[in-house]
Amino acid sequence: MYIAGIGLVFARGRGIDSLGEALCDGWKPPSEQGCACSGKKLNLAYRVEQEVLTGSAVLRKIRRADRFSKMAVLAACDACGDSGISFTGRESSLGIIVATTFGPHATTFRFLDDVLDYNDADVSPTIFSHSVHNAAASYIASVLDCRGPTLTITQFAFPFQHGLLLARAWLDEGRCDHVLVGTVDECGTAMEYICGSKLRIAEDGKIRPFDFSSSPSAVPGEGSVFFLLTRKESHKKYCRISEVSLGGESIAQDRPNICIFGADGMAGDESTYRHAAPPYTTLAGYAPLFGSMMTGDGFHCAAAALMLEKQMRYANPVQDNPHDMNLCTMTEEAHMEDIHCIRIDCLHEKAVVRLKR
Amino acid sequence: MDDEKEKKLTEIRKKLKELLVENLSLEDISPEEIKDDEVLFGEGLGLDSLDAVEIVVLLQRGFGVQIKNVKQGKEVFYSIDTLARFVYQNTQG
Amino acid sequence: MSMKVVITGIGGISAAGANLAETLEAFRNGRRNAGPVSLFPTTLPYPVFEARAGSIPPRWERKGMRTLSLALSALEEALADAGLRVEEDLSPLRVGICLGTTVASQLNDIEFYRSYRDRGSAPMDAVDRYLKGNLAQAISSTLKVRGPALTVVNACSSGTDAIGAALSWLRSGICDVAIAGGADELNRVPLCGFGALGIVSETLCRPFDRDRGGLNLGEGAGILILETESVARRRGVAPALFMAGYGSACDAYHLTAPRPDGTGLEAALARALAEAGAAPSDVSFINAHGTATQDNDRIEGRVLAGVFGPDVKFLSTKGFTGHTLGAAGGLEAVFTAAALREGWIPACAGFVHPDEEIGVRPVTEITSVRGPLAVSTSLAFGGNNAALVIARAEDGGTWRSRSCTLRE
């Protein structure tokens, strides 16, 4: 299946070009929130700036939507726009798959505020409606007038990769001609508290993808990235997704031009990344640009798509390399044919997405 | 007596407008810009069924007033005016 | 669509029964096991359909993870029905797990949040349970199988859509066997939420009835074992039931209200029937979504009348189970398969007076069903419409498509 368009929203902006700029510009520190007084640590995270989520004509149609849904709608609409494919409305040949790790948890907690502050009969139905995980998909469908199949996935293990697998099955079955597959995850004060308790947060704000530590450091991130996928090669703008493998099924052993590691401190022990790629493969890990997310693989695939389209490779934003691996250290033109995006979860299972020109 | 009633109604209308703008995420309008006789649903403010049930909860929380059923809701929710009068009637005595 | 997918096992737990045998008994007797909420404290007066105390076997009880416990209970029944032993039979195969849920996907533990909000800190037990309790992943870990594991969170159509996704997996060769369906526990958060939306009834629900006043919430799990026909035959199973078709279409209309003209449901039905190579006249009955809300039953009822004609045989089993949210699609697929196997459907519990606006009425007594095809429909919050076609094998052990109108 082919990538016809990409849209995204993250800490460094909105749109595929903003990812390209971030890849060129390199690492920037995360934002800080909270009060550093009385010994409390500041919460570091790569948060989407509020102004990115205001003012757009698209958002005017969805006034009640929360941040979670707004990020998804912007990214999904931008993916369609980026593709240049004209969707004529009442679109039944477009499917939507949204993958998330934690869903709109900030809204769920706002609803719990109501449950705690008021009696059970006086809670807000609007907040409840938005805490339902498929709200984002519903908004995307409404804004695009998309009448095809829609599905939301919520899980910790490879949500994005499962979304890609299902999209390919839908396209193969002819269930739809195109599928918008994307990810969305958000930050929030309660979730940042949980991350601070359960994860090691990088004090200097730097994710180090090549430490291969058994207790790596993370910096929570948020954002959404959507791909418009199609069966038709004529719609291809970036590259094709040639394989999606889960759980260690073997993938062709030829060495890709670059292996992108999803190591970001979110899934615990990262020691098995050390041997995840064929020896001497050029390695990259761009999580230091957008933060730690179980759905971060979406951003890595977007980076891979850019590299294949532009015939470039991008320097690693953080080049700490204690194991002397072959890291990509320069941003430069390069011949790119085959990129593997690899993520290992907390059970040491591996998922690989293979993108080819 | 009528002055007293009118003063109360004005207060209620003001509070209602503020509640609506804040809780229904009405972005392009301030409470002062909402007319007393502005139609709430359809043409006018353009509120919908989800806003309607939200208003039911706002009335419960903000004024302690219950809407008994959907039919009663439709009559009461016509405009800020009708809403304010309903609240006034159900909070006296 | 030449490859057929066989349903080799089914299992279900809900207020209607701890297993299918008990459930069918409740259906026969018209017994509605509803009552006030007992699982958690609430001031809400709504009747609910809780699984009877003791209906989850102790070996499947997972403290603080009731959705998973319900799912494990139904899973055991489905695997036994399929004659599949976990270590001997499942381990060598690629087994996909595809399950729908709503409650279990959310971090919504009230005590955790109360502590965090009031004190700035909270014990992590609830978070740990949440991290271990993702439905598909937890089932996959329990069975120690290899294959994809997907948790579908599509509101009220989660279970149906999970079955549809499993169907897609099997047809495209992603796995050999799929465990599909849905599970959800009764929980204070959705009870408050749906109550605030004004669609919960203070009396027992009355699907499709003129005087219906909203839904009752329930809980449960419904699980099906799906296999490609070749895998089933290879282990000596003669197919009796098929998952013949799935269709899904979004309303693209509103976050909480369904599209009034019902075109989304029509499109989902059309696709499911086309995949099954069937015409509406081939369908012997429909297990409808039938939540007993004003909007759902009016729109769904009119679509069923329009597509299947004025004599359509249909019912809602939510009069026996309540609306089990993420479990509904799974449970109702199980009930549809069971009805084809048994040859009868129960009366639509709760229905008394027809609604002229709908124009058709559900069955009011136990009704025999002879044809080989049935449909189950789901209409979700957020506007997703989903339909499944289930087929019973006819003489000769196969079920033939008349024609396949889909392009490959």
Side-chain angles (χ1 to χ4, degrees):
Chain A
M1 62 191 164
Y2 303 98
I3 300 179
I6 304 177
L8 52 89
V9 165
F10 73 129
R12 303 276 280 265
R14 173 185 167 188
I16 186 68
D17 290 344
S18 67
L19 179 63
E21 279 163 28
L23 287 162
C24 288
D25 294 346
W27 180 81
K28 287 199 174 139
S31 63
E32 297 170 351
Q33 262 181 25
C35 169
C37 47
S38 60
K40 272 183 91 177
K41 275 198 286 196
L42 290 170
N43 282 342
L44 299 178
Y46 284 99
R47 300 181 184 88
V48 172
E49 290 187 18
Q50 195 50 34
E51 61 202 31
V52 170
L53 301 179
T54 49
S56 165
V58 157
L59 295 178
R60 280 177 188 284
K61 302 180 196 177
I62 54 170
R63 66 175 146 93
R64 288 174 295 224
D66 57 9
R67 285 181 93 247
F68 183 86
S69 285
K70 283 180 180 168
M71 290 194 286
V73 167
L74 287 174
C77 288
D78 285 354
C80 286
D82 186 48
S83 73
I85 300 174
S86 156
F87 292 103
T88 49
R90 289 202 63 156
E91 201 53 60
S92 56
S93 70
L94 175 64
I96 300 171
I97 298 175
V98 178
T100 180
T101 318
F102 299 107
H105 54 82
T107 302
T108 303
F109 289 129
R110 272 182 71 206
F111 187 66
L112 295 189
D113 276 327
D114 270 18
V115 173
L116 290 170
D117 291 339
Y118 303 103
N119 71 57
D120 286 5
D122 288 342
V123 294
S124 163
T126 304
I127 298 177
F128 174 69
S129 305
H130 290 80
S131 73
V132 175
H133 284 207
N134 66 324
S138 175
Y139 273 124
I140 295 169
S142 291
V143 166
L144 295 174
D145 199 13
C146 165
R147 314 267 185 118
T150 63
L151 193 133
T152 299
I153 298 168
T154 303
Q155 58 196 56
F156 310 113
F158 315 126
F160 176 61
Q161 292 84 341
H162 278 86
L164 290 179
L165 265 183
L166 187 62
R168 194 176 67 192
W170 280 5
L171 292 172
D172 288 346
E173 295 181 287
R175 194 167 296 284
C176 39
D177 290 331
H178 314 282
V179 186
L180 262 174
V181 183
T183 71
V184 49
D185 266 310
E186 62 174 355
C187 288
T189 49
M191 186 54 69
E192 284 164 33
Y193 165 71
I194 292 168
C195 287
S197 302
K198 302 229 41 104
L199 302 173
R200 186 184 271 201
I201 305 294
E203 281 185 13
D204 63 356
K206 281 190 178 171
I207 295 167
R208 291 175 167 76
F210 309 106
D211 271 7
F212 307 146
S213 163
S214 53
S215 57
S217 299
V219 180
E222 65 177 4
S224 175
V225 54
F226 269 81
F227 298 83
L228 183 67
L229 301 178
T230 177
R231 304 158 79 197
K232 294 191 190 143
E233 190 168 1
S234 55
H235 287 313
K236 179 184 81 169
K237 182 170 178 182
Y238 293 90
C239 60
R240 62 189 171 98
I241 298 177
S242 68
E243 260 177 271
V244 180
S245 83
L246 291 175
E249 287 163 20
S250 63
I251 197 167
Q253 288 309 304
D254 18 326
R255 191 184 306 145
N257 301 115
I258 278 196
C259 253
I260 306 180
F261 281 175
D264 63 3
M266 200 68 170
D269 189 346
E270 291 181 349
S271 49
T272 44
Y273 274 104
R274 188 155 175 199
H275 302 290
Y280 313 116
T281 308
T282 306
L283 299 179
Y286 300 112
L289 297 175
F290 49 81
S292 309
M293 288 179 262
M294 302 286 208
T295 45
D297 309 305
F299 289 94
H300 277 138
C301 287
L306 274 178
M307 288 196 266
L308 290 163
E309 188 219 1
K310 295 184 187 301
Q311 291 294 287
M312 281 188 66
R313 57 187 188 185
Y314 297 100
N316 273 291
V318 172
Q319 295 186 10
D320 296 31
N321 191 9
H323 300 279
D324 207 25
M325 310 301 283
N326 185 14
L327 301 188
C328 180
T329 53
M330 300 278 291
T331 295
E332 59 195 352
E333 281 179 17
H335 178 71
M336 302 296 261
E337 287 284 337
D338 184 6
I339 300 179
H340 295 185
C341 292
I342 297 177
R343 162 80 70 160
I344 295 173
D345 76 356
C346 52
L347 299 172
H348 300 296
E349 297 282 352
K350 187 166 85 165
V352 185
V353 179
R354 191 174 185 189
L355 300 100
K356 289 182 110 167
R357 202 166 162 199
Chain B
M1 277 295 262
D2 270 352
D3 279 347
E4 205 35 59
K5 180 179 174 185
E6 197 42 51
K7 194 167 156 214
K8 260 248 151 296
L9 278 172
T10 306
E11 262 173 46
I12 294 170
R13 281 194 291 262
K14 180 167 182 284
K15 186 168 175 189
L16 278 171
K17 291 174 189 178
E18 284 162 7
L19 282 175
L20 258 49
V21 166
E22 187 188 321
N23 289 282
L24 306 185
S25 306
L26 300 178
E27 282 173 335
D28 295 333
I29 192 165
S30 68
E32 299 75 42
E33 287 170 310
I34 303 177
K35 298 200 276 283
D36 291 349
D37 59 356
E38 181 107 48
V39 171
L40 295 178
F41 293 85
E43 299 299 314
L45 267 191
L47 305 184
D48 65 16
S49 55
L50 183 53
D51 297 314
V53 284
E54 190 71 28
I55 293 174
V56 168
V57 170
L58 293 177
L59 291 180
Q60 278 166 203
R61 281 196 217 168
F63 300 100
V65 163
Q66 308 268 349
I67 298 279
K68 288 191 179 48
N69 55 48
V70 172
K71 205 165 156 227
Q72 182 185 45
K74 282 198 168 115
E75 289 155 7
V76 162
F77 284 15
Y78 184 73
S79 67
I80 293 286
D81 234 348
T82 55
L83 254 185
R85 284 177 200 286
F86 174 79
V87 168
Y88 177 79
Q89 274 155 20
N90 286 277
T91 50
Q92 298 308 295
Chain C
M1 294 312 127
S2 49
M3 184 219 284
K4 298 221 174 38
V5 170
V6 184
I7 303 170
T8 54
I10 52 178
I13 177 172
S14 70
N19 50 54
L20 213 42
E22 268 185 39
T23 306
L24 293 176
E25 188 60 30
F27 283 0
R28 255 191 287 268
N29 297 325
R31 191 172 62 243
R32 307 179 74 186
N33 179 28
V37 176
S38 78
L39 289 170
F40 47 81
T42 178
T43 51
L44 295 171
Y46 310 123
V48 292
F49 284 81
E50 293 177 349
R52 196 175 34 79
S55 52
I56 301 175
R59 63 185 167 280
W60 299 130
E61 274 184 6
R62 300 284 183 270
K63 189 164 177 291
M65 295 158 84
R66 189 171 170 85
T67 298
L68 178 59
S69 308
L70 289 162
L72 288 167
S73 185
L75 173 63
E76 182 182 46
E77 186 185 8
L79 286 172
D81 191 35
L84 283 168
R85 299 154 304 173
V86 175
E87 259 186 56
E88 298 91 331
D89 300 316
L90 290 184
S91 306
L93 298 170
R94 292 169 309 161
V95 180
I97 317 279
C98 200
L99 296 170
T101 188
T102 60
V103 172
S105 69
Q106 296 193 321
L107 181 51
N108 59 11
D109 189 278
I110 293 174
E111 292 318 310
F112 164 82
Y113 187 63
R114 187 202 302 273
S115 175
Y116 165 75
R117 210 175 74 138
D118 296 347
R119 294 196 279 278
S121 68
M124 285 286 139
D125 309 51
V127 174
D128 290 335
R129 282 195 301 272
Y130 169 70
L131 294 174
K132 281 196 311 218
N134 182 272
L135 195 55
Q137 285 170 227
I139 299 281
S140 184
S141 301
T142 303
L143 297 175
K144 298 196 199 2
V145 289
R146 54 181 186 93
L150 183 64
T151 301
V152 174
V153 185
N154 250 21
C156 319
S157 65
S158 301
T160 310
D161 292 320
I163 293 166
L167 196 55
S168 298
W169 281 350
L170 288 161
R171 285 181 182 149
S172 64
I174 289 170
C175 57
D176 310 303
V177 174
I179 292 169
D184 248 329
E185 66 195 67
L186 191 74
N187 186 283
R188 187 173 164 203
V189 172
L191 189 64
C192 292
F194 282 107
L197 280 160
I199 53 173
V200 179
S201 173
E202 294 191 14
T203 55
L204 286 196
C205 65
R206 305 177 65 165
F208 300 104
D209 189 280
R210 172 192 74 197
D211 302 321
R212 63 192 182 277
L215 58 89
N216 304 137
L217 281 189
E219 62 174 3
I223 304 236
L224 302 92
I225 312 296
L226 306 176
E227 304 177 48
T228 61
E229 191 175 1
S230 55
V231 166
R233 286 192 183 280
R234 210 177 303 139
R235 65 179 186 92
V237 169
L241 291 165
F242 294 91
M243 188 61 72
Y246 163 72
S248 164
C250 193
D251 279 346
Y253 178 72
H254 190 270
L255 188 59
T256 52
R259 185 177 280 279
D261 64 11
T263 45
L265 181 60
E266 278 173 14
L269 280 165
R271 170 80 196 196
L273 289 169
E275 282 191 12
S281 51
D282 299 324
V283 174
S284 56
F285 72 91
I286 295 106
N287 183 309
H289 191 58
T291 53
T293 64
Q294 280 295 320
D295 282 347
N296 180 84
D297 291 7
R298 184 181 62 254
I299 293 165
E300 185 181 19
R302 298 218 294 227
V303 168
L304 294 182
V307 172
F308 297 100
D311 298 324
V312 55
K313 277 196 205 144
F314 70 101
L315 79 158
S316 168
T317 43
K318 289 186 170 73
F320 288 108
T321 62
H323 189 355
T324 56
L325 301 180
L331 272 171
E332 287 154 27
V334 163
F335 297 156
T336 304
L340 279 174
R341 201 160 68 181
E342 303 284 313
W344 60 273
I345 47 175
C348 180
F351 170 81
V352 178
H353 299 112
D355 184 342
E356 275 173 20
E357 262 201 296
I358 298 176
V360 286
R361 62 172 79 191
V363 296
T364 51
E365 54 190 6
I366 294 176
T367 305
S368 67
V369 289
R370 273 179 252 288
L373 286 182
V375 165
S376 177
T377 50
S378 300
L379 291 83
F381 224 55
N384 200 49
N385 301 275
L388 293 170
V389 176
I390 297 178
R392 192 189 65 225
E394 293 173 300
D395 297 329
T398 56
W399 161 74
R400 297 185 194 291
S401 311
R402 277 163 208 237
S403 67
C404 184
T405 53
L406 295 168
R407 63 195 151 78
E408 289 295 327

